[in-house]
Amino acid sequence: MTLSIRAMRYVQAAVRLGSISAAGEAMHVAPSAIATALGQAEARFGMALVTRARAKGIYPTSAGRDVLRRIDDLLERYDAMMTDVSDLQSGLSGTLTVGYNAPIAPAFLPTIAAQLRAANPDLVFGFVDGDNPAVQRGLLSGNYDLILYVEELPNPQIETQPLVFAPTYCLCPADHPIAHGGPVSMNRVLREPLVLLDRPAARTYYMELLEQTGEDYNIVATTNSTEMVRSLVAVGTGVSLLNMRPGAVPSYAAGDTCCVPLSGTSHGITISLGTAPGPKRRLLQAFIDACTAYFDGPARAELIVENTG
């Protein structure tokens, strides 16, 4: 038994909306047509694609999420094929949802999206901030097409592509003695009051870095916002450790900051792109290529503070 394009559109709508009746309304057909298409798809693939809960809608199974990604890819390719040849060659359309655990992502993701939209004005982007575990869960549940995150342990359900290595640096007030002496050692940093970026993956990383020195340290403020870190440092609360820097913009608070490389260390984190394994939509691949090209270019030097090893 084959599965028609129409049936696949019905399945796509049902899984996306989580409701057979809502899918019928969206596709302008009776709910029975949606239910029939779902039954045909499950029979054709030999597996349950959704779980059904009376009065609560339907929920995709793990296999259902994988099949949905493949249906999305196939329908996008089919729609592109049916358009004019010139659009097929150059035009991208649709929605791409990106989850990111990179507090500094606003410094570069908008530029990448704007470059793509300049050539493809029908594109729509959704960007969602979250901690490292949350964005990975979002990708696996089908909420995101792509995530920007720090890979801690390999996950066979996530296809990872390293994007950029970001060495750890010291952020201090612009008029602080550390700002004018070149690269600074961790021991020198620990003599200062510290402002800690307290996000799930970041906190563990920075605390391990502090503990490895074997020296005493004094944390005087914590915050889960990179911008708050910068503002606290700018007004002289203390110094901090970070891994990526924004563009040349002042903090919200009065006062300027300075990014100082660390000496005698190679510590840093790798920001990676994560996607579900399998075929990738044209739009998704175009976004991946745009991210890679961005960090292969001169913009990388504006976001990274190289340490002296």
Side-chain angles (χ1 to χ4, degrees):
M1 178 180 64
T2 60
L3 197 64
S4 69
I5 292 293
R6 177 180 298 175
M8 283 190 283
R9 292 197 192 280
Y10 291 173
V11 171
Q12 182 187 53
V15 178
R16 288 288 187 200
L17 296 174
S19 167
I20 289 176
S21 59
E25 184 176 345
M27 301 302 292
H28 307 292
V29 297
S32 59
I34 304 294
T36 298
L38 263 176
Q40 290 175 343
E42 290 182 324
R44 177 64 182 84
F45 297 126
M47 62 183 73
L49 301 182
V50 298
T51 57
R52 297 162 173 82
R54 186 181 299 275
K56 293 185 178 181
I58 59 175
Y59 303 90
T61 62
S62 176
R65 288 192 292 269
D66 182 61
V67 169
L68 178 62
R69 284 191 289 267
R70 294 170 185 270
I71 286 177
D72 287 343
D73 177 69
L74 188 150
L75 291 178
E76 183 180 86
R77 292 173 185 273
Y78 176 83
D79 290 339
M81 182 184 68
M82 299 302 290
T83 62
D84 183 77
V85 172
S86 62
D87 289 336
L88 177 62
Q89 292 297 323
S90 60
L92 293 171
S93 63
T95 299
L96 191 74
T97 305
V98 180
Y100 64 91
N101 173 48
I104 209 61
F108 58 88
L109 282 182
T111 299
I112 294 170
Q115 291 171 347
L116 280 173
R117 287 202 76 254
N120 307 279
D122 291 333
L123 296 184
V124 177
F125 290 96
F127 294 106
V128 183
D129 186 15
D131 61 50
N132 224 41
V135 297
Q136 292 177 75
R137 289 194 301 269
L139 176 69
L140 296 177
S141 65
N143 294 330
Y144 307 135
D145 299 295
L146 174 142
I147 59 174
L148 189 73
Y149 77 122
V150 179
E151 183 183 30
E152 297 172 283
L153 296 172
N155 185 333
Q157 293 180 286
I158 298 178
E159 189 174 292
T160 301
Q161 178 175 330
L163 190 60
V164 61
F165 178 74
T168 306
Y169 68 89
C170 174
L171 183 75
C172 66
D175 59 357
H176 195 284
I178 288 178
H180 308 290
V184 62
S185 68
M186 276 293 297
N187 286 342
R188 176 66 182 88
V189 171
L190 294 186
R191 298 177 202 164
E192 302 294 327
L194 298 174
V195 177
L196 180 71
L197 178 61
D198 192 7
R199 292 171 66 95
R203 179 183 179 86
T204 300
Y205 171 77
Y206 292 125
M207 290 302 297
E208 288 179 352
L209 195 57
L210 295 175
E211 294 290 344
Q212 286 173 9
T213 66
E215 303 287 337
D216 293 334
Y217 54 86
N218 180 26
I219 297 174
V220 298
T222 64
T223 173
N224 66 352
S225 162
T226 299
E227 191 53 50
M228 181 60 80
V229 168
R230 295 181 67 241
S231 293
L232 287 166
V233 170
V235 300
T237 303
V239 304
S240 188
L241 297 172
L242 293 175
N243 286 84
M244 296 186 75
R245 62 181 175 187
V249 294
S251 67
Y252 285 138
D256 295 326
T257 60
C258 182
C259 302
V260 183
L262 293 179
S263 63
T265 179
S266 58
H267 289 292
I269 61 173
T270 298
I271 303 295
S272 298
L273 298 176
T275 57
K280 292 178 175 54
R281 299 158 54 200
R282 290 178 62 232
L283 172 53
L284 176 55
Q285 188 59 56
F287 189 82
I288 292 171
D289 293 342
C291 288
T292 302
Y294 183 88
F295 280 99
D296 283 344
R300 177 185 181 281
E302 299 298 319
L303 298 170
I304 301 301
V305 179
E306 298 286 0
N307 60 37
T308 60

